[in-house]
Structures are given as structure tokens and as C-alpha cells.
Amino acid sequence: MIVEGSISVKAVLLSGSRPIEEIYIDKSKKSKDTSFIIHEAQRRNVKTTIMENEEFSALVTGRTHGGVAANVGERRYETLESLFSVENPFIILLEGVEDPYNFGDALRSLYAAGATGLIVPERNWLSAAETVVKASAGASEYIPTAACPDLGEAIIEAKKYGIKTYCAERRDAVALYEADLTCPVIFAIGGELRGLSRKVTDNSDGNIYIPYGSNFRNALSASAASAVCAFEIMRQRQQKDVGN
């Protein structure tokens, strides 16, 4: 599949998250980014082809590529053990997010807030690399990710590592700003239409809700909920570190 744009191509190149078959550069587009990509590709023995503008334009579909694209393979995934074994893990589980742009936007916030890992179902939007990489500003390639056939079993396995799982649900829930999220944690967020499955909620350690400033009764998008929750986890952990 083809990913377009210097941010996307740099993310794939630097993260090592996918095999790269070839990088394509429009010879008429010269910038620091293209020079950096060419240099890094040569250093990593990745094939790079400099193309005429007409030839490059026939290869890509978008208009914001900046003259850079790459032919990449499938995403490489981490094991659950590798996600659970880091110091004080801060993991997000995303389930049922139906829009690749929403999914990618959520990953941008999660990575920016310092999430150490991501758990997703086996069928997820990371297969739509060209959309997700761009929507996430490359974050989808950097965040360590595990794709699981059974999310409930993943949560049960996490308990063996002393990791608690909390769901973004309003039923019998504690307010986000009153919960202690400084411990090793998995925070599960569902899509606004389908939410989280029973296999996730039944195995979790509790529910947490985001307080609103109005009587709005609908759910936030997964990307908005991810940003709010992830940065609160970051804030609590930074505050704890300062206190210590």
C-alpha cells in the first residue's frame, strides 16, 4: 500500500513499524524533509526512486503529499508481554472505533500524552495505513501496538502483571478527576456507536466517566475521549513524580 506525505513516510521509516518496499520522491519538490528522508533511506538501505513530476503524480492520490510517498507492507505488532513489561505501563485499549480518521486522531493524542502502548482488536483501522498514518501525524507508527483476537483474555493476562483495567463508561462510574490513574493501567475506550464489548467490561476493574460542563447527554468521539483521558493520566503521573 502507498502512504503519502513527508510526516507519514518519516514515521514509517524511523519507527521500523512496517517493511518499506520503496520510497518515491518527486524531483521537483526539494525541502529539508525530502533531503532527510533520502539520507535516512540510504543509511537504512531502503530503495529510493527520484521521479519526474508527471510520473509521481500518477502514483499518488492526494494533493498534500509534498512530493514524498512510500510503498509499505503490513504493520508489525508487539506481544502483550512486551506491552505489559514496561515500567508503570500506561496502555489504551481502543475498540469499535468505526472511522479511520477518528482512530488516527485518537492515536495522535495518545502518543502525545505518553501512552506506552495500545491494544486493538485483530481487525482494526491500522490496515488502512494511508489514512491512519496521516490522521495520526505518524503517531500510529510510533506507539507500540498489540492486536488481540480476544480482548477479554488480554485484560485477564494484564492482571498477572499487576495492571488494572478501567473502562470509559458512565454506569456505576467514578469521575475521571477523582480516580487514581498513577498505577499500571489499561484505559479502555469504545467507539461512540457500539461502545465496549462485554468481554472488556466484564473483566475490567471499574468504570470511569468524563464529567461534562453542561447537560449534554451524548458520548464524546473516541478521539476526544482519548485526548481527555490520556492527558489526565499524564497530568496525574507528572504531579506524582514532582511530589516524589
Side-chain angles (χ1 to χ4, degrees), residues 62-209:
R63 295 184 178 182
T64 59
H65 47 68
V68 182
N71 183 13
V72 303
E74 294 298 317
R75 179 71 153 79
R76 297 187 180 101
Y77 290 107
E78 305 289 333
T79 64
L80 287 173
E81 181 182 6
S82 67
L83 262 60
F84 297 160
S85 297
V86 303
E87 183 180 355
N88 199 17
F90 159 17
I91 299 167
I92 300 293
L93 184 154
L94 285 180
E95 182 184 28
V97 182
E98 299 183 357
D99 177 11
Y101 292 97
N102 194 9
F103 183 80
D105 199 35
L107 301 192
R108 183 192 298 221
S109 296
L110 297 175
Y111 188 67
T116 62
L118 172 71
I119 297 175
V120 291
E122 276 192 326
R123 292 189 175 186
N124 63 79
W125 285 118
L126 286 174
S127 59
E130 66 279 11
T131 300
V132 174
V133 179
K134 183 172 288 187
S136 70
S140 62
E141 304 304 298
Y142 290 117
I143 188 168
T145 302
C148 303
D150 190 324
L151 297 177
E153 286 299 320
I155 293 172
I156 292 171
E157 182 67 18
K159 295 181 189 296
K160 300 176 183 177
Y161 291 79
I163 302 171
K164 293 184 176 181
T165 298
Y166 294 109
C167 296
E169 295 271 341
R170 299 195 76 86
R171 176 175 47 85
D172 300 323
V174 174
L176 175 66
Y177 307 114
E178 297 175 5
D180 180 1
L181 299 171
T182 60
C183 62
V185 68
I186 295 173
F187 204 103
I189 298 172
E192 51 267 35
L193 295 179
R194 290 187 292 164
L196 294 168
S197 62
R198 287 286 300 275
K199 60 188 176 185
V200 171
T201 58
D202 285 354
N203 289 290
S204 71
D205 294 283
N207 294 336
I208 292 174
Y209 74 93

Side-chain angles (χ1 to χ4, degrees), residues 11-27:
V12 174
L13 183 61
L14 298 177
S15 67
S17 59
R18 301 173 186 269
I20 303 176
E21 300 297 328
E22 190 171 359
I23 292 175
Y24 309 102
I25 304 290
D26 181 341
K27 67 182 298 183

